[in-house]
């Protein structure tokens, strides 16, 4: 793999993340992303290495730099995508300083640091949910109550059938470190909202019935979280899309937050205000790559910036569009200066034609004076660049099955330097995580942690150990079709059957999933 990557005439992007084993040892996973000669997008895990503590920015940067030098990738690197934490910020600063001395970083390192978009969205949503945590607590308690035992689940489903509601989805309690579970909990509970007050008439112990106002708020929150839910899945999908896809999605989020800000519901507007503050904090630095990528999509070009930037920046839109335009020309000039094929430069901050040709009088060529005359009477920088010609052409119609990589593969004859840029830029991922961990605000583990329920005491810990060892020894579920909680509620006294049992159920489901698959 190292030899193959070294021969590739393209830049590569890196994503790196720290994982912790159940022995509390830290490992750095490094994934390389690139587009090959056939214009196919690839990503490979190329290193999974133990990192000794403490995990300071100096230690992390040394490990990553060793990899880049070992694989001779230090001069072919486009970007590094990492989580949003202070140690990663420091690591990137150290790497940027060491690599900039060779002059190999794109745009002098302006786009070297990519923040993980999935984690940015996570922080934004978490900020919003913190504002409304009190308002959705009754729904959480109701779901917890009616999903606690098989008998309660049966009562709930019977009541739903009496109201002629389809029971194709089961109530699910959310996990507070995974905001998508809160979204799913609310979206399912809303479909059964008429069941809860009906059950209150029959169940004396059930007292936390959500009011109509609380249900309306939950519905509004769900409608808004759906946008973040879908975009997070896109950003962190296993078959991740090319970089041109993300800019439009980010603009959709910003536009939606502005709409929520003027919502008549004060709770929603307060939530939007907190989310906007986080949005502006994290997106200001990482939208450059996304903007350049979307300009290089022949369906959008500069028109997409002219459409969205007035919404995002208001009166400063023209200035922001100008910045992205200039960066595109700077990138073109940079690639042309390092490419054998790039001869013409644009008038946008590049050298003039006189710097490329030494025009002198030749007595044996009677028209050499004419060449001098043409040059002296022409406007300086009149020659157009590839980017000028590309932007002047009409945007292509938007079609759902458009393959942007195939388009650039076949149009390299017209735009050879832009083709090189696209091949590098479109390989840049905006997320470091897979979809199953994109929503989590907790740490990610290299192997499954089979956690004992220490909150309950020794008895339940022994129960946990027994369940796990028995199923590992048998190699199959010992209680097919039943959960560990349903058995625990039989064998353990009432005082341990508290709300915390629900998280115990969640842990059991996790380890059973990894051992035997989702169908058990």
């Amino acid at each position: 793999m190292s030899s193959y990557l070294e021969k590739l005439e393209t830049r590569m992007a890196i994503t790196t993340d720290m994982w912790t084993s159940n022995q509390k040892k830290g490992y750095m996973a490094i994934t390389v992303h690139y587009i090959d000669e056939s214009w196919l997008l690839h990503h490979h895990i190329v290193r999974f290495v133990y990192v000794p503590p403490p995990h300071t920015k100096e230690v992390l940067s040394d490990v990553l730099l060793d990899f880049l030098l070992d694989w001779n990738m230090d001069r072919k690197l486009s970007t590094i995508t990492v989580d949003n934490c202070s140690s990663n910020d420091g690591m990137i600063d150290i790497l940027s300083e060491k690599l900039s001395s060779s002059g190999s970083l794109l745009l002098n390192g302006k786009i070297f640091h990519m923040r993980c978009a999935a984690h940015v969205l996570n922080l934004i949503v978490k900020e919003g949910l913190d504002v409304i945590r009190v308002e959705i607590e009754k729904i959480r308690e109701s779901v917890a109550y009616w999903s606690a035992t098989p008998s309660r689940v049966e009562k709930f489903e019977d009541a739903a059938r009496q109201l002629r509601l389809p029971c194709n989805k089961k109530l699910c309690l959310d996990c507070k470190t995974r905001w998508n579970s809160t979204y799913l909990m609310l979206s399912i509970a809303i479909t059964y909202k008429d069941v809860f007050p009906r059950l209150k008439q029959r169940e004396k112990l059930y007292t936390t019935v959500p009011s109509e106002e609380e249900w309306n708020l939950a519905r509004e929150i769900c409608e808004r979280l759906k946008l973040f839910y879908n975009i997070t899945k896109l950003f962190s999908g296993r078959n991740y899309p090319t970089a041109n896809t993300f800019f439009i999605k980010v603009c959709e989020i910003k536009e939606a937050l502005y709409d929520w800000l003027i919502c008549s519901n004060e709770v929603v507007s307060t939530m939007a205000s907190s989310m906007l503050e986080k949005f502006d904090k994290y997106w200001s630095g990482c939208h450059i790559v996304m903007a350049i990528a979307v300009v290089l999509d022949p369906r959008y070009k500069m028109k997409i910036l002219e459409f969205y930037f007035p919404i995002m920046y208001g009166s400063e839109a023209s200035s922001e569009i100008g910045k992205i335009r200039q960066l595109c020309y700077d990138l073109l000039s940079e690639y042309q200066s390092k490419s054998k094929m790039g001869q013409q430069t644009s008038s946008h901050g590049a050298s003039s034609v006189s710097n490329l040709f030494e025009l002198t009088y030749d007595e044996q060529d009677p028209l050499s004076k004419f060449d001098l005359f043409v040059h002296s009477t022409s406007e300086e920088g009149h020659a157009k660049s590839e980017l000028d010609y590309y932007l002047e052409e009409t945007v292509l119609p938007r079609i759902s099955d458009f393959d942007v990589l195939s388009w650039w593969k076949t149009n390299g004859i017209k735009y050879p330097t832009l083709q090189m840029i696209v091949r590098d830029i479109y390989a840049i991922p905006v997320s470091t995580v897979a979809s199953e961990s994109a929503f989590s605000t907790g740490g990610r583990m290299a192997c499954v942690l089979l956690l004992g329920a220490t909150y309950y005491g020794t008895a339940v810990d022994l129960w946990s150990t027994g369940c796990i060892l028995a199923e590992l020894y048998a190699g199959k579920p010992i209680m097919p079709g039943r959960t560990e909680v349903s058995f625990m509620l039989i064998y353990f006294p009432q005082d341990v059957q508290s709300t915390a049992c629900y998280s115990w159920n969640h842990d059991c489901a996790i380890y059973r999933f990894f051992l035997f698959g989702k169908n058990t």
Side-chain angles (χ1 to χ4, degrees):
M1 178 59 71
S2 177
S3 300
Y4 170 72
L5 294 178
E6 191 171 350
K7 294 174 185 177
L8 275 179
E9 294 295 329
T10 183
R11 285 182 179 266
M12 281 152 279
I14 294 292
T15 54
T16 180
D17 204 2
M18 288 298 299
W19 293 68
T20 306
S21 72
N22 56 351
Q23 289 84 27
K24 304 300 181 183
K25 291 186 176 181
Y27 295 84
M28 178 181 286
I30 302 173
T31 307
V32 62
H33 308 256
Y34 64 93
I35 295 174
D36 65 13
E37 296 92 338
S38 301
W39 282 80
L40 297 176
L41 197 58
H42 295 273
H43 58 282
H44 305 290
I45 296 177
V46 291
R47 181 157 293 184
F48 191 80
V49 58
Y50 170 66
V51 181
H55 297 160
T56 61
K57 59 184 180 181
E58 291 82 9
V59 171
L60 296 176
S61 63
D62 287 344
V63 173
L64 194 51
L65 186 61
D66 285 345
F67 160 74
L68 294 175
L69 295 175
D70 289 345
W71 286 60
N72 198 22
M73 205 177 288
D74 52 308
R75 293 177 178 269
K76 299 178 67 175
L77 195 60
S78 58
T79 61
I80 297 181
T81 306
V82 290
D83 293 357
N84 301 286
C85 65
S86 57
S87 59
N88 280 337
D89 291 344
M91 175 188 72
I92 294 294
D93 290 340
I94 294 173
L95 283 173
S96 179
E97 184 178 351
K98 290 182 177 179
L99 296 176
S100 59
S101 59
S102 64
S104 61
L105 297 182
L106 291 177
L107 297 175
N108 295 320
K110 290 180 182 177
I111 62 173
F112 182 61
H113 183 188
M114 284 288 292
R115 297 182 183 275
C116 176
H119 290 153
V120 171
L121 289 180
N122 205 333
L123 291 170
I124 293 171
V125 176
K126 186 176 181 296
E127 191 74 16
L129 288 178
D130 284 345
V131 174
I132 58 171
R133 62 183 182 277
V134 176
E135 284 75 6
I136 63 175
E137 191 57 37
K138 275 191 180 180
I139 296 177
R140 179 180 286 113
E141 291 176 1
S142 294
V143 171
Y145 185 89
W146 289 109
S147 60
T149 67
S151 61
R152 289 180 185 173
V153 171
E154 189 175 342
K155 284 182 182 179
F156 188 88
E157 291 178 351
D158 288 341
R161 291 189 189 97
Q162 290 175 0
L163 294 173
R164 298 183 178 180
L165 295 174
C167 297
N168 51 359
K169 292 183 179 179
K170 292 185 177 292
L171 293 176
C172 59
L173 188 65
D174 67 331
C175 175
K176 292 185 179 181
T177 61
R178 297 178 69 87
W179 69 262
N180 68 314
S181 66
T182 303
Y183 163 75
L184 294 172
M185 177 189 73
L186 294 176
S187 62
I188 294 172
I190 287 169
T191 62
Y192 297 118
K193 81 178 195 65
D194 295 331
V195 179
F196 294 97
R198 183 181 181 87
L199 286 169
K200 185 179 183 300
Q201 300 172 4
R202 298 182 177 182
E203 186 74 32
K204 294 181 180 179
L205 296 177
Y206 174 50
T207 57
T208 57
V209 183
S211 64
E212 191 66 28
E213 292 76 14
E214 287 165 333
W215 282 118
N216 290 336
L217 177 62
R219 186 177 291 104
E220 284 204 42
I221 292 168
C222 266
E223 291 172 357
R224 286 158 170 76
L225 288 184
K226 186 176 181 180
L227 173 66
F228 286 87
Y229 179 79
N230 291 334
I231 292 178
T232 300
K233 288 207 299 184
L234 171 70
F235 279 7
S236 56
R238 186 173 295 277
N239 296 319
Y240 65 93
T242 47
N244 58 308
T245 309
F246 306 120
F247 176 81
I248 296 171
K249 298 301 179 183
V250 172
C251 292
E252 284 180 20
I253 291 173
K254 186 70 176 284
E255 188 176 11
L257 290 176
Y258 278 139
D259 289 340
W260 305 350
L261 199 60
I262 58 175
C263 178
S264 57
N265 189 316
E266 187 177 347
V267 176
V268 174
S269 62
T270 304
M271 180 182 75
S273 178
S274 297
M275 294 171 79
L276 265 173
E277 187 176 343
K278 283 286 184 183
F279 182 98
D280 293 334
K281 177 180 179 181
Y282 287 109
W283 284 112
S284 58
C286 64
H287 79 283
I288 296 175
V289 169
M290 299 180 186
I292 293 174
V294 81
V295 168
L296 294 174
D297 188 324
R299 297 169 296 172
Y300 303 116
K301 302 186 180 182
M302 296 299 298
K303 293 293 184 183
I304 198 72
L305 304 188
E306 294 167 4
F307 175 76
Y308 273 120
F309 272 24
I311 299 171
M312 297 185 71
Y313 295 105
S315 59
E316 299 179 3
S318 297
S319 173
E320 294 298 325
I321 292 172
K323 290 178 183 178
I324 301 299
R325 179 186 289 272
Q326 185 60 51
L327 285 172
C328 290
Y329 280 104
D330 291 343
L331 201 57
L332 178 71
S333 178
E334 187 173 303
Y335 270 74
Q336 285 179 332
S337 66
K338 297 177 181 179
S339 170
K340 296 178 182 179
M341 66 180 69
Q343 293 301 320
Q344 283 190 320
T345 55
S346 70
S347 60
H348 299 263
S351 60
S352 65
V353 179
S354 60
N355 292 328
L356 297 176
F357 302 101
E358 291 293 335
L359 295 177
T360 57
Y361 176 65
D362 185 356
E363 294 182 354
Q364 297 180 354
D365 183 2
L367 286 177
S368 62
K369 289 184 178 180
F370 171 76
D371 294 335
L372 289 169
F373 171 76
V374 170
H375 176 61
S376 62
T377 56
S378 299
E379 294 182 10
E380 186 175 339
H382 180 68
K384 290 185 177 181
S385 68
E386 287 180 31
L387 187 57
D388 292 320
Y389 286 114
Y390 167 76
L391 294 176
E392 286 174 359
E393 289 187 353
T394 308
V395 295
L396 298 181
R398 289 190 308 108
I399 53 176
S400 57
D401 58 347
F402 179 75
D403 188 341
V404 68
L405 293 183
S406 294
W407 190 91
W408 276 107
K409 180 182 178 180
T410 56
N411 282 270
I413 298 175
K414 291 172 64 178
Y415 312 113
T417 310
L418 288 182
Q419 186 190 53
M420 294 168 58
I421 296 173
V422 168
R423 189 175 167 190
D424 292 347
I425 294 293
Y426 277 30
I428 297 173
V430 299
S431 175
T432 65
V433 295
S435 56
E436 61 268 17
S437 57
F439 301 96
S440 178
T441 57
R444 290 177 298 285
M445 310 301 287
C447 45
V448 185
L449 290 181
L450 307 180
L451 298 175
T454 54
Y455 178 84
Y456 307 103
T458 307
V460 180
D461 278 336
L462 291 173
W463 175 256
S464 166
T465 306
C467 288
I468 294 169
L469 292 178
E471 295 196 341
L472 284 172
Y473 179 78
K476 62 181 181 179
I478 60 175
M479 296 172 278
R482 303 290 295 274
T483 68
E484 284 73 7
V485 166
S486 64
F487 280 81
M488 191 176 86
L489 293 175
I490 295 172
Y491 292 109
F492 283 89
Q494 186 71 26
D495 59 353
V496 302
Q497 299 178 22
S498 62
T499 304
C501 291
Y502 312 135
S503 62
W504 162 248
N505 188 15
H506 186 265
D507 290 340
C508 290
I510 289 176
Y511 93 78
R512 288 169 65 91
F513 173 85
F514 278 96
L515 287 176
F516 309 112
K518 64 183 179 181
N519 293 325
T520 57

